[in-house]
Amino acid sequence: MTTVKEAQAGPAMTQAGKKKRSGVLLTGAAWIISVLFVFPVVWMIWTSFHSETDAATNPPKILSPFSTEGYSAFFGSNPWPPILNSLTASVISTVFVLCLALPAAYALSIRPVKKWSDVLFFFLSTKFMPVVAALLPVYLFAEKIKFLDNIWLLIILYTSMNLPIAVWMLRSFLSEIPDEMLEAAQVDGAGLVRTLREIIAPVIMPGIASAALICFIFSWNELLFARVLTGTRAETAPVFLTGFVTSQGLFLAQVCAASFVVSLPVLAAGFAAQDKLVQGLSMGAVR
């Protein structure tokens, strides 16, 4: 009997050892990938606290004296109007996207319309065309209606660009809602608007937060349309950031300092919504 138990315990211990080793390897690989992703950001922040001369040396001087020249140059160039423009365009377009995407996702998941798969394909097909292909027609149209250098033009463009992504994301989240919950709302006499506001929205709040964060990041980081369609009044933070790259003189420390400051709102939004973001992504990943 003892021999049989030992024979059975041997393979089990071997299998446990293999799982432990594979877990260690996966953990090590995850740490290596994380370091590879974080290292450029850390290096950018480190470089931003050096003088232009030290930042431009090759190889770079890691232990060179700290300096705030880059931040002084950035804040001395009045960055607040472009940052405010980016914040306005990103926040308002994200709100518009959520207001339009939630009813659309509801119609495509809980109360599916006819040929809903074709509708989803149409939403996805709008992302097939390269952005640069639509740049000239949009520019000519905006020039014709005297809408260039207007923050509302960017809001409309960002809303249309992010709407397909939000619809696809929210549809996967809405598919997780049990039918019994909606039937109970109908029995209580709740209409569509009340159902969306008081029943569906609180349940899929992690999904809404995930979609909102992604739309906000995409709007904040958008450069091509903002670079071509804006001037001085509607200039956004990414466009303002490109102004530090010049053909004469040194600019690496200033660019790193400006990049770090401009990325702070996105980092703050990500840290504030990280719990709901993880819940939302896991909620919509498994049906």
Side-chain angles (χ1 to χ4, degrees):
M1 182 65 68
T2 304
T3 305
V4 174
K5 289 183 179 180
E6 291 177 353
Q8 293 177 349
M13 294 177 62
T14 303
Q15 187 176 4
K18 290 181 179 179
K19 289 183 178 179
K20 185 176 180 180
R21 286 193 296 269
S22 63
V24 172
L25 292 176
L26 290 175
T27 302
W31 274 104
I32 292 174
I33 295 174
S34 300
V35 170
L36 291 177
F37 273 98
V38 173
F39 177 76
V41 179
V42 175
W43 187 261
M44 178 189 71
I45 298 173
W46 183 270
T47 305
S48 67
F49 285 100
H50 289 80
S51 63
E52 293 291 354
T53 305
D54 293 332
T57 56
N58 190 16
K61 297 179 180 180
I62 300 178
L63 300 179
S64 56
F66 274 61
S67 174
T68 58
E69 293 180 5
Y71 292 94
S72 299
F74 174 74
F75 288 108
S77 56
N78 192 21
W80 303 117
I83 292 177
L84 183 60
N85 287 332
S86 286
L87 190 62
T88 302
S90 301
V91 172
I92 295 180
S93 64
T94 300
V95 173
F96 284 171
V97 166
L98 295 179
C99 292
L100 295 173
L102 186 57
Y106 178 88
L108 293 172
S109 58
I110 298 177
R111 295 290 183 268
V113 298
K114 292 182 179 180
K115 296 184 178 181
W116 60 270
S117 58
D118 295 338
V119 177
L120 283 176
F121 177 77
F122 170 76
F123 275 112
L124 188 62
S125 65
T126 59
K127 307 297 293 182
F128 291 169
M129 184 176 65
V131 177
V132 68
L135 186 59
L136 181 59
V138 171
Y139 177 85
L140 295 176
F141 179 76
E143 185 183 27
K144 187 71 174 179
I145 63 175
K146 309 298 182 182
F147 216 45
L148 290 176
D149 200 13
N150 193 312
I151 194 64
W152 284 102
L153 176 61
L154 295 181
I155 292 173
I156 295 172
L157 290 175
Y158 294 167
T159 301
S160 61
M161 291 166 58
N162 294 327
L163 185 59
I165 301 173
V167 170
W168 271 82
M169 290 185 64
L170 292 180
R171 181 187 176 275
S172 64
F173 301 139
L174 286 169
S175 300
E176 302 293 328
I177 297 179
D179 296 334
E180 293 78 7
M181 183 180 298
L182 301 175
E183 292 173 358
Q186 291 180 350
V187 171
D188 293 339
L192 176 59
V193 177
R194 183 182 175 187
T195 301
L196 289 174
R197 185 180 67 250
E198 298 182 6
I199 298 175
I200 294 179
V203 173
I204 65 167
M205 188 55 66
I208 294 176
S210 303
L213 181 60
I214 290 177
C215 292
F216 179 83
I217 292 174
F218 285 172
S219 299
W220 183 273
N221 293 336
E222 200 282 323
L223 175 63
L224 184 58
F225 279 116
R227 185 70 179 87
V228 175
L229 302 177
T230 64
T232 56
R233 293 180 302 172
E235 183 185 29
T236 59
V239 178
F240 179 76
L241 181 60
T242 60
F244 288 92
V245 181
T246 61
S247 59
Q248 297 178 352
L250 303 176
F251 55 83
L252 184 58
Q254 295 182 23
V255 170
C256 290
S259 300
F260 176 58
V261 176
V262 169
S263 63
L264 284 179
V266 175
L267 294 175
F271 278 111
Q274 61 180 339
D275 295 338
K276 292 188 179 296
L277 179 62
V278 173
Q279 294 175 14
L281 293 177
S282 61
M283 173 182 167
V286 181
R287 180 172 174 84

